[in-house]
Amino acid sequence: MKLKRLAISEEGFVFDPETGNSYTVNETGLLILKKLREGLSPEEIAGIMSEEYGISREEALRDIQDFLEAMARFGLWEEKYG
Amino acid sequence: MKKPYQKPTILKLQVGFLREKKSSLSRMVRQEIDGVPVAELVEKFGSPLFVFSEKRLREQFRYLKRLFEGHYPRVEFSWSYKTNYLDAICRIFHQEGATAEVVSNFEYEKARRLGVPGDQIVFNGPYKPKEILRQAVLEGARINVDSLDEILDLEEIARETGEKLRIGLRVNMDTGIYPRWDRFGFNLESGEVLNVARRIAAGGKLEVVGLHCHQGTFILEPEAYGRAAEKLVDLSQKLENDFGWTIEYLDLGGGFPSRNRLKGLYLPPEVAVPPLSEYAEKIARALLTRLPAGDYPLLILETGRALVDEAGFLITTVRALKRLPDGRRAYILDAGVNLLFTAFWYHFRVEVEREIPGPPEPCVLYGPLCMNIDVVEESALLPPLARGTRLVLSPVGAYNVTQWMQFITYRPRVVLVTEKGNVEVIREAETLEDIVRREKIPEHLK
Ligand SMILES: Cc1ncc(COP(=O)(O)O)c(C=O)c1O
């Protein structure tokens, strides 16, 4: 799992030791990364975000998918394995 | 209370990139136009929506007029219709004292219909159909001739009227700028102008009373105007001496830049675009040092974009979100190059109607057309936008509401925020009926 190798700080600083690239994520981005690492599914994370931020599950899921796609472009996420 | 929501984002760090984000973010918000909230404008008049500011139009006109009048005793601004010929916009400039500069039968007729007398019209352009040319002659318009064939037409009209006609000559020349618009009028350096002048004098039907030179548009070199003015003064003296004519006006055309960001220019317009006062100084210096004291021909300026561009805004709404294969975020707006013809040449200022949390990210702004060319901005730096977010694009007051096209979809309303802060519709949105009214189905297809 690619996510495991990443160094993620509490401030949202992400370092990929394999490529040497650094990234920043915002608060919600950080939440998604952490929950994914804990093994939660995007659907489950959408539920949490909808609770915490008062947005609909659909909007949360759509934004999560968008986020994951961005991660995939950076080579940080693979659809099947995470 | 729930925590404020930010769309999740991940950004790759690049040196120098994050440094800028704060300052650019604070400049990116526009909640109102002349005091009228963007949200209210859209609720009442729809999106997309062109919005013009009467205050800005009048202020810019007065500023430019007084600026030039402070440098040279006789100045006339002639409003370039092609830049924006909406009635209300033309009316405002005419009220401020501008005459009309037109380049076609349509524009001539539109100015007349608005109540501009013929002798308050400057008639330019490479093709003036004979009928309208005759009307312009009879109504006393200033006609700047573009070609020898037009001279033949005018000589014929002079024979009809039995009077000697007073005309201007459009001249093209080297003023040190590129591209050179050398397809309009007669060339100076090659001697073409003088040949034509000889031809006119020999014909005995026409008399040259004015010289015209429009070098191009968005000219960032004030000195080019100084050179044009010098060359026109020299030419006018030569024509007066050789042919006994009196050159009553020198018309330097348009071309002053607005604060827009021309593509390919790295610097922001605040730095790249010289202040208009530099243009006034260069022109006045050239004229005043060369003209004999007390002998001041009228200086005509056909300034278009510098008067109107910054008074125009387009409000548009994010209708869909996309992620491109290369990872960039993209938005689909309800306004595209059908409405924003100038998007091909300029990077507009893109402002969001409210502060949006989240880091700015490079993104592409697409219009609604099902065409690959429909790109409003290929790289904007914007925070993550939700569907429904309104953007304000500017400056868009010049050449868009004339060169826009009815293509794929309808053209929207245009409103004017008046000096009192009221909002008036100055052009209604197009309807299906507007578009199909001129079509006909032949009998066998019915
Ligand atoms: C003859 C003439 N005058 C005036 C203008 C207005 O130019 P601008 O909008 O650059 O001031 C134009 C524009 O092309 C023009 O062709």
PDB file of all heavy atoms in Angstrom, chain B residues 234-261:
ATOM      1  N   ASP B 234       4.812  66.622 -40.495  1.00  0.00           N
ATOM      2  CA  ASP B 234       5.688  66.851 -41.654  1.00  0.00           C
ATOM      3  C   ASP B 234       4.927  66.665 -42.960  1.00  0.00           C
ATOM      4  O   ASP B 234       5.052  67.460 -43.897  1.00  0.00           O
ATOM      5  CB  ASP B 234       6.892  65.900 -41.614  1.00  0.00           C
ATOM      6  CG  ASP B 234       7.828  66.244 -40.446  1.00  0.00           C
ATOM      7  OD1 ASP B 234       7.611  67.303 -39.815  1.00  0.00           O
ATOM      8  OD2 ASP B 234       8.746  65.449 -40.169  1.00  0.00           O
ATOM      9  N   LEU B 235       4.129  65.593 -42.994  1.00  0.00           N
ATOM     10  CA  LEU B 235       3.367  65.325 -44.206  1.00  0.00           C
ATOM     11  C   LEU B 235       2.343  66.436 -44.461  1.00  0.00           C
ATOM     12  O   LEU B 235       2.165  66.881 -45.607  1.00  0.00           O
ATOM     13  CB  LEU B 235       2.664  63.966 -44.085  1.00  0.00           C
ATOM     14  CG  LEU B 235       1.733  63.576 -45.234  1.00  0.00           C
ATOM     15  CD1 LEU B 235       2.513  63.420 -46.545  1.00  0.00           C
ATOM     16  CD2 LEU B 235       0.980  62.276 -44.924  1.00  0.00           C
ATOM     17  N   SER B 236       1.698  66.910 -43.397  1.00  0.00           N
ATOM     18  CA  SER B 236       0.672  67.944 -43.602  1.00  0.00           C
ATOM     19  C   SER B 236       1.326  69.218 -44.145  1.00  0.00           C
ATOM     20  O   SER B 236       0.769  69.887 -45.023  1.00  0.00           O
ATOM     21  CB  SER B 236      -0.098  68.212 -42.308  1.00  0.00           C
ATOM     22  OG  SER B 236       0.698  68.892 -41.375  1.00  0.00           O
ATOM     23  N   GLN B 237       2.523  69.530 -43.654  1.00  0.00           N
ATOM     24  CA  GLN B 237       3.192  70.729 -44.154  1.00  0.00           C
ATOM     25  C   GLN B 237       3.578  70.583 -45.623  1.00  0.00           C
ATOM     26  O   GLN B 237       3.457  71.498 -46.422  1.00  0.00           O
ATOM     27  CB  GLN B 237       4.400  71.060 -43.271  1.00  0.00           C
ATOM     28  CG  GLN B 237       3.911  71.609 -41.916  1.00  0.00           C
ATOM     29  CD  GLN B 237       4.997  71.710 -40.855  1.00  0.00           C
ATOM     30  OE1 GLN B 237       6.104  71.195 -41.031  1.00  0.00           O
ATOM     31  NE2 GLN B 237       4.665  72.353 -39.741  1.00  0.00           N
ATOM     32  N   LYS B 238       4.014  69.389 -45.959  1.00  0.00           N
ATOM     33  CA  LYS B 238       4.365  69.117 -47.354  1.00  0.00           C
ATOM     34  C   LYS B 238       3.123  69.256 -48.262  1.00  0.00           C
ATOM     35  O   LYS B 238       3.171  69.875 -49.327  1.00  0.00           O
ATOM     36  CB  LYS B 238       4.945  67.698 -47.442  1.00  0.00           C
ATOM     37  CG  LYS B 238       5.222  67.189 -48.820  1.00  0.00           C
ATOM     38  CD  LYS B 238       6.713  67.152 -49.102  1.00  0.00           C
ATOM     39  CE  LYS B 238       7.021  66.641 -50.499  1.00  0.00           C
ATOM     40  NZ  LYS B 238       7.503  67.681 -51.411  1.00  0.00           N
ATOM     41  N   LEU B 239       2.006  68.668 -47.821  1.00  0.00           N
ATOM     42  CA  LEU B 239       0.793  68.733 -48.636  1.00  0.00           C
ATOM     43  C   LEU B 239       0.294  70.179 -48.770  1.00  0.00           C
ATOM     44  O   LEU B 239      -0.164  70.600 -49.839  1.00  0.00           O
ATOM     45  CB  LEU B 239      -0.315  67.862 -48.030  1.00  0.00           C
ATOM     46  CG  LEU B 239      -0.072  66.350 -47.999  1.00  0.00           C
ATOM     47  CD1 LEU B 239      -1.252  65.617 -47.363  1.00  0.00           C
ATOM     48  CD2 LEU B 239       0.205  65.783 -49.396  1.00  0.00           C
ATOM     49  N   GLU B 240       0.373  70.924 -47.674  1.00  0.00           N
ATOM     50  CA  GLU B 240      -0.073  72.325 -47.717  1.00  0.00           C
ATOM     51  C   GLU B 240       0.788  73.126 -48.684  1.00  0.00           C
ATOM     52  O   GLU B 240       0.284  73.911 -49.500  1.00  0.00           O
ATOM     53  CB  GLU B 240      -0.039  72.937 -46.311  1.00  0.00           C
ATOM     54  CG  GLU B 240      -1.101  72.314 -45.400  1.00  0.00           C
ATOM     55  CD  GLU B 240      -1.208  72.992 -44.033  1.00  0.00           C
ATOM     56  OE1 GLU B 240      -0.334  73.823 -43.694  1.00  0.00           O
ATOM     57  OE2 GLU B 240      -2.177  72.674 -43.303  1.00  0.00           O
ATOM     58  N   ASN B 241       2.100  72.904 -48.606  1.00  0.00           N
ATOM     59  CA  ASN B 241       3.010  73.642 -49.503  1.00  0.00           C
ATOM     60  C   ASN B 241       2.844  73.245 -50.959  1.00  0.00           C
ATOM     61  O   ASN B 241       2.770  74.080 -51.856  1.00  0.00           O
ATOM     62  CB  ASN B 241       4.469  73.402 -49.096  1.00  0.00           C
ATOM     63  CG  ASN B 241       4.770  74.075 -47.768  1.00  0.00           C
ATOM     64  OD1 ASN B 241       4.078  75.024 -47.388  1.00  0.00           O
ATOM     65  ND2 ASN B 241       5.765  73.576 -47.062  1.00  0.00           N
ATOM     66  N   ASP B 242       2.773  71.923 -51.205  1.00  0.00           N
ATOM     67  CA  ASP B 242       2.764  71.453 -52.589  1.00  0.00           C
ATOM     68  C   ASP B 242       1.416  71.668 -53.283  1.00  0.00           C
ATOM     69  O   ASP B 242       1.371  71.885 -54.490  1.00  0.00           O
ATOM     70  CB  ASP B 242       3.105  69.958 -52.648  1.00  0.00           C
ATOM     71  CG  ASP B 242       4.572  69.703 -52.328  1.00  0.00           C
ATOM     72  OD1 ASP B 242       5.262  70.676 -51.937  1.00  0.00           O
ATOM     73  OD2 ASP B 242       5.018  68.549 -52.449  1.00  0.00           O
ATOM     74  N   PHE B 243       0.325  71.542 -52.501  1.00  0.00           N
ATOM     75  CA  PHE B 243      -0.979  71.541 -53.172  1.00  0.00           C
ATOM     76  C   PHE B 243      -1.906  72.668 -52.735  1.00  0.00           C
ATOM     77  O   PHE B 243      -3.024  72.772 -53.231  1.00  0.00           O
ATOM     78  CB  PHE B 243      -1.670  70.177 -52.970  1.00  0.00           C
ATOM     79  CG  PHE B 243      -0.824  69.019 -53.418  1.00  0.00           C
ATOM     80  CD1 PHE B 243      -0.140  68.235 -52.497  1.00  0.00           C
ATOM     81  CD2 PHE B 243      -0.684  68.730 -54.774  1.00  0.00           C
ATOM     82  CE1 PHE B 243       0.662  67.179 -52.913  1.00  0.00           C
ATOM     83  CE2 PHE B 243       0.111  67.665 -55.200  1.00  0.00           C
ATOM     84  CZ  PHE B 243       0.798  66.888 -54.267  1.00  0.00           C
ATOM     85  N   GLY B 244      -1.476  73.462 -51.767  1.00  0.00           N
ATOM     86  CA  GLY B 244      -2.292  74.588 -51.321  1.00  0.00           C
ATOM     87  C   GLY B 244      -3.487  74.202 -50.471  1.00  0.00           C
ATOM     88  O   GLY B 244      -4.397  75.007 -50.270  1.00  0.00           O
ATOM     89  N   TRP B 245      -3.484  72.932 -49.980  1.00  0.00           N
ATOM     90  CA  TRP B 245      -4.581  72.523 -49.105  1.00  0.00           C
ATOM     91  C   TRP B 245      -4.318  73.027 -47.688  1.00  0.00           C
ATOM     92  O   TRP B 245      -3.194  73.378 -47.333  1.00  0.00           O
ATOM     93  CB  TRP B 245      -4.687  70.981 -49.057  1.00  0.00           C
ATOM     94  CG  TRP B 245      -5.043  70.348 -50.380  1.00  0.00           C
ATOM     95  CD1 TRP B 245      -5.903  70.844 -51.318  1.00  0.00           C
ATOM     96  CD2 TRP B 245      -4.544  69.109 -50.904  1.00  0.00           C
ATOM     97  NE1 TRP B 245      -5.987  69.984 -52.394  1.00  0.00           N
ATOM     98  CE2 TRP B 245      -5.163  68.905 -52.159  1.00  0.00           C
ATOM     99  CE3 TRP B 245      -3.655  68.141 -50.452  1.00  0.00           C
ATOM    100  CZ2 TRP B 245      -4.905  67.781 -52.958  1.00  0.00           C
ATOM    101  CZ3 TRP B 245      -3.399  67.025 -51.228  1.00  0.00           C
ATOM    102  CH2 TRP B 245      -4.026  66.856 -52.473  1.00  0.00           C
ATOM    103  N   THR B 246      -5.376  73.018 -46.860  1.00  0.00           N
ATOM    104  CA  THR B 246      -5.193  73.301 -45.440  1.00  0.00           C
ATOM    105  C   THR B 246      -5.578  72.052 -44.660  1.00  0.00           C
ATOM    106  O   THR B 246      -6.711  71.577 -44.759  1.00  0.00           O
ATOM    107  CB  THR B 246      -6.093  74.470 -44.992  1.00  0.00           C
ATOM    108  OG1 THR B 246      -5.764  75.604 -45.798  1.00  0.00           O
ATOM    109  CG2 THR B 246      -5.866  74.798 -43.525  1.00  0.00           C
ATOM    110  N   ILE B 247      -4.614  71.509 -43.936  1.00  0.00           N
ATOM    111  CA  ILE B 247      -4.905  70.305 -43.154  1.00  0.00           C
ATOM    112  C   ILE B 247      -5.515  70.743 -41.830  1.00  0.00           C
ATOM    113  O   ILE B 247      -4.853  71.344 -40.986  1.00  0.00           O
ATOM    114  CB  ILE B 247      -3.624  69.466 -42.925  1.00  0.00           C
ATOM    115  CG1 ILE B 247      -2.988  69.096 -44.271  1.00  0.00           C
ATOM    116  CG2 ILE B 247      -3.945  68.219 -42.093  1.00  0.00           C
ATOM    117  CD1 ILE B 247      -3.857  68.269 -45.203  1.00  0.00           C
ATOM    118  N   GLU B 248      -6.800  70.421 -41.685  1.00  0.00           N
ATOM    119  CA  GLU B 248      -7.544  70.910 -40.512  1.00  0.00           C
ATOM    120  C   GLU B 248      -7.504  69.947 -39.340  1.00  0.00           C
ATOM    121  O   GLU B 248      -7.701  70.347 -38.199  1.00  0.00           O
ATOM    122  CB  GLU B 248      -9.004  71.156 -40.911  1.00  0.00           C
ATOM    123  CG  GLU B 248      -9.137  72.257 -41.944  1.00  0.00           C
ATOM    124  CD  GLU B 248     -10.515  72.292 -42.594  1.00  0.00           C
ATOM    125  OE1 GLU B 248     -11.413  71.557 -42.133  1.00  0.00           O
ATOM    126  OE2 GLU B 248     -10.690  73.052 -43.567  1.00  0.00           O
ATOM    127  N   TYR B 249      -7.298  68.683 -39.634  1.00  0.00           N
ATOM    128  CA  TYR B 249      -7.222  67.736 -38.502  1.00  0.00           C
ATOM    129  C   TYR B 249      -6.154  66.667 -38.721  1.00  0.00           C
ATOM    130  O   TYR B 249      -5.862  66.275 -39.845  1.00  0.00           O
ATOM    131  CB  TYR B 249      -8.582  67.087 -38.220  1.00  0.00           C
ATOM    132  CG  TYR B 249      -9.104  66.139 -39.283  1.00  0.00           C
ATOM    133  CD1 TYR B 249      -8.749  64.790 -39.297  1.00  0.00           C
ATOM    134  CD2 TYR B 249      -9.994  66.586 -40.276  1.00  0.00           C
ATOM    135  CE1 TYR B 249      -9.244  63.921 -40.257  1.00  0.00           C
ATOM    136  CE2 TYR B 249     -10.494  65.727 -41.233  1.00  0.00           C
ATOM    137  CZ  TYR B 249     -10.118  64.391 -41.221  1.00  0.00           C
ATOM    138  OH  TYR B 249     -10.611  63.540 -42.172  1.00  0.00           O
ATOM    139  N   LEU B 250      -5.577  66.279 -37.615  1.00  0.00           N
ATOM    140  CA  LEU B 250      -4.666  65.136 -37.574  1.00  0.00           C
ATOM    141  C   LEU B 250      -5.317  64.112 -36.653  1.00  0.00           C
ATOM    142  O   LEU B 250      -5.621  64.411 -35.500  1.00  0.00           O
ATOM    143  CB  LEU B 250      -3.294  65.542 -37.019  1.00  0.00           C
ATOM    144  CG  LEU B 250      -2.545  66.623 -37.800  1.00  0.00           C
ATOM    145  CD1 LEU B 250      -1.241  66.984 -37.085  1.00  0.00           C
ATOM    146  CD2 LEU B 250      -2.250  66.164 -39.232  1.00  0.00           C
ATOM    147  N   ASP B 251      -5.562  62.928 -37.194  1.00  0.00           N
ATOM    148  CA  ASP B 251      -6.269  61.892 -36.448  1.00  0.00           C
ATOM    149  C   ASP B 251      -5.285  60.770 -36.163  1.00  0.00           C
ATOM    150  O   ASP B 251      -4.784  60.121 -37.089  1.00  0.00           O
ATOM    151  CB  ASP B 251      -7.457  61.408 -37.304  1.00  0.00           C
ATOM    152  CG  ASP B 251      -8.334  60.398 -36.593  1.00  0.00           C
ATOM    153  OD1 ASP B 251      -7.850  59.748 -35.649  1.00  0.00           O
ATOM    154  OD2 ASP B 251      -9.504  60.256 -37.003  1.00  0.00           O
ATOM    155  N   LEU B 252      -4.994  60.553 -34.883  1.00  0.00           N
ATOM    156  CA  LEU B 252      -4.003  59.519 -34.538  1.00  0.00           C
ATOM    157  C   LEU B 252      -4.639  58.160 -34.245  1.00  0.00           C
ATOM    158  O   LEU B 252      -3.971  57.247 -33.748  1.00  0.00           O
ATOM    159  CB  LEU B 252      -3.147  59.980 -33.353  1.00  0.00           C
ATOM    160  CG  LEU B 252      -2.084  61.023 -33.716  1.00  0.00           C
ATOM    161  CD1 LEU B 252      -1.360  61.509 -32.465  1.00  0.00           C
ATOM    162  CD2 LEU B 252      -1.069  60.444 -34.703  1.00  0.00           C
ATOM    163  N   GLY B 253      -5.934  58.025 -34.544  1.00  0.00           N
ATOM    164  CA  GLY B 253      -6.577  56.724 -34.397  1.00  0.00           C
ATOM    165  C   GLY B 253      -6.705  56.315 -32.943  1.00  0.00           C
ATOM    166  O   GLY B 253      -6.714  57.153 -32.036  1.00  0.00           O
ATOM    167  N   GLY B 254      -6.810  54.994 -32.723  1.00  0.00           N
ATOM    168  CA  GLY B 254      -6.907  54.465 -31.359  1.00  0.00           C
ATOM    169  C   GLY B 254      -5.628  53.739 -31.001  1.00  0.00           C
ATOM    170  O   GLY B 254      -4.570  54.081 -31.511  1.00  0.00           O
ATOM    171  N   GLY B 255      -5.773  52.726 -30.140  1.00  0.00           N
ATOM    172  CA  GLY B 255      -4.623  51.875 -29.851  1.00  0.00           C
ATOM    173  C   GLY B 255      -4.026  51.994 -28.465  1.00  0.00           C
ATOM    174  O   GLY B 255      -3.144  51.210 -28.113  1.00  0.00           O
ATOM    175  N   PHE B 256      -4.493  52.959 -27.663  1.00  0.00           N
ATOM    176  CA  PHE B 256      -3.953  53.030 -26.306  1.00  0.00           C
ATOM    177  C   PHE B 256      -4.367  51.772 -25.548  1.00  0.00           C
ATOM    178  O   PHE B 256      -5.503  51.306 -25.682  1.00  0.00           O
ATOM    179  CB  PHE B 256      -4.479  54.261 -25.543  1.00  0.00           C
ATOM    180  CG  PHE B 256      -4.143  55.589 -26.170  1.00  0.00           C
ATOM    181  CD1 PHE B 256      -4.952  56.692 -25.936  1.00  0.00           C
ATOM    182  CD2 PHE B 256      -3.028  55.745 -26.973  1.00  0.00           C
ATOM    183  CE1 PHE B 256      -4.659  57.930 -26.494  1.00  0.00           C
ATOM    184  CE2 PHE B 256      -2.725  56.975 -27.541  1.00  0.00           C
ATOM    185  CZ  PHE B 256      -3.547  58.070 -27.302  1.00  0.00           C
ATOM    186  N   PRO B 257      -3.489  51.242 -24.737  1.00  0.00           N
ATOM    187  CA  PRO B 257      -3.809  49.990 -24.038  1.00  0.00           C
ATOM    188  C   PRO B 257      -4.708  50.209 -22.827  1.00  0.00           C
ATOM    189  O   PRO B 257      -4.736  51.292 -22.249  1.00  0.00           O
ATOM    190  CB  PRO B 257      -2.440  49.484 -23.570  1.00  0.00           C
ATOM    191  CG  PRO B 257      -1.621  50.721 -23.417  1.00  0.00           C
ATOM    192  CD  PRO B 257      -2.112  51.694 -24.456  1.00  0.00           C
ATOM    193  N   SER B 258      -5.443  49.154 -22.463  1.00  0.00           N
ATOM    194  CA  SER B 258      -6.152  49.148 -21.183  1.00  0.00           C
ATOM    195  C   SER B 258      -5.302  48.325 -20.232  1.00  0.00           C
ATOM    196  O   SER B 258      -4.313  47.720 -20.626  1.00  0.00           O
ATOM    197  CB  SER B 258      -7.520  48.503 -21.363  1.00  0.00           C
ATOM    198  OG  SER B 258      -7.373  47.194 -21.883  1.00  0.00           O
ATOM    199  N   ARG B 259      -5.739  48.271 -18.980  1.00  0.00           N
ATOM    200  CA  ARG B 259      -4.977  47.457 -18.029  1.00  0.00           C
ATOM    201  C   ARG B 259      -5.420  46.011 -18.125  1.00  0.00           C
ATOM    202  O   ARG B 259      -6.047  45.465 -17.220  1.00  0.00           O
ATOM    203  CB  ARG B 259      -5.165  47.984 -16.623  1.00  0.00           C
ATOM    204  CG  ARG B 259      -4.708  49.388 -16.523  1.00  0.00           C
ATOM    205  CD  ARG B 259      -4.151  49.671 -15.183  1.00  0.00           C
ATOM    206  NE  ARG B 259      -3.381  50.890 -15.241  1.00  0.00           N
ATOM    207  CZ  ARG B 259      -2.646  51.330 -14.256  1.00  0.00           C
ATOM    208  NH1 ARG B 259      -2.545  50.633 -13.168  1.00  0.00           N
ATOM    209  NH2 ARG B 259      -1.990  52.459 -14.377  1.00  0.00           N
ATOM    210  N   ASN B 260      -5.098  45.413 -19.222  1.00  0.00           N
ATOM    211  CA  ASN B 260      -5.406  44.024 -19.460  1.00  0.00           C
ATOM    212  C   ASN B 260      -4.077  43.307 -19.604  1.00  0.00           C
ATOM    213  O   ASN B 260      -3.058  43.941 -19.858  1.00  0.00           O
ATOM    214  CB  ASN B 260      -6.237  43.891 -20.739  1.00  0.00           C
ATOM    215  CG  ASN B 260      -7.201  42.726 -20.677  1.00  0.00           C
ATOM    216  OD1 ASN B 260      -7.026  41.805 -19.894  1.00  0.00           O
ATOM    217  ND2 ASN B 260      -8.221  42.768 -21.519  1.00  0.00           N
ATOM    218  N   ARG B 261      -4.091  41.975 -19.435  1.00  0.00           N
ATOM    219  CA  ARG B 261      -2.823  41.252 -19.533  1.00  0.00           C
ATOM    220  C   ARG B 261      -2.739  40.544 -20.863  1.00  0.00           C
ATOM    221  O   ARG B 261      -3.356  39.501 -21.064  1.00  0.00           O
ATOM    222  CB  ARG B 261      -2.675  40.261 -18.392  1.00  0.00           C
ATOM    223  CG  ARG B 261      -1.272  40.319 -17.807  1.00  0.00           C
ATOM    224  CD  ARG B 261      -1.146  39.413 -16.612  1.00  0.00           C
ATOM    225  NE  ARG B 261      -0.427  38.217 -16.970  1.00  0.00           N
ATOM    226  CZ  ARG B 261      -0.671  37.020 -16.460  1.00  0.00           C
ATOM    227  NH1 ARG B 261      -1.638  36.867 -15.597  1.00  0.00           N
ATOM    228  NH2 ARG B 261       0.045  35.993 -16.835  1.00  0.00           N
TER     229      ARG B 261
END
